Amino acid sequence: MKNFVKKLRKEAGLRQEDLANKVGVSRQTIIAIENNKYDPTLELAMKLARQLQISVEELFILED
């Protein structure tokens, strides 16, 4: 699954640690998501989308 977390986080002026704190996960989790090594739960995906002010469908793209 492709995502735009890193791009949007940077545009929002947030550090990985800042975003992690806002959604209640570790910085390592944010790193793993940004590097496409971890697909977040639906709950975490929704929290990330809310923080980055974008829909889940726009933040995460399911690749065939």
Side-chain angles (χ1 to χ4, degrees), residues 8 17 32 36 49:
L8 294 171
E17 187 174 354
N36 294 311

Side-chain angles (χ1 to χ4, degrees), residues 1-62:
M1 181 164 44
K2 182 178 177 181
N3 72 74
F4 299 101
V5 174
K6 185 175 187 175
K7 175 183 180 291
L8 294 171
R9 174 183 58 76
K10 286 185 172 189
E11 287 177 4
L14 295 170
R15 298 176 305 153
Q16 291 169 329
E17 187 174 354
D18 298 330
L19 183 56
N21 289 336
K22 288 178 181 286
V23 298
V25 298
S26 69
R27 179 174 170 262
Q28 287 76 19
T29 299
I30 299 299
I31 291 168
I33 292 169
E34 288 183 353
N35 291 322
N36 294 311
K37 297 195 183 292
Y38 174 72
D39 291 334
T41 63
L42 179 56
E43 179 182 3
L44 179 52
M46 293 177 81
K47 287 179 180 180
L48 288 166
R50 183 177 296 151
Q51 285 299 318
L52 297 171
Q53 300 179 345
I54 194 169
S55 72
V56 173
E57 294 84 1
E58 293 172 305
L59 185 57
F60 295 94
I61 307 297
L62 183 62

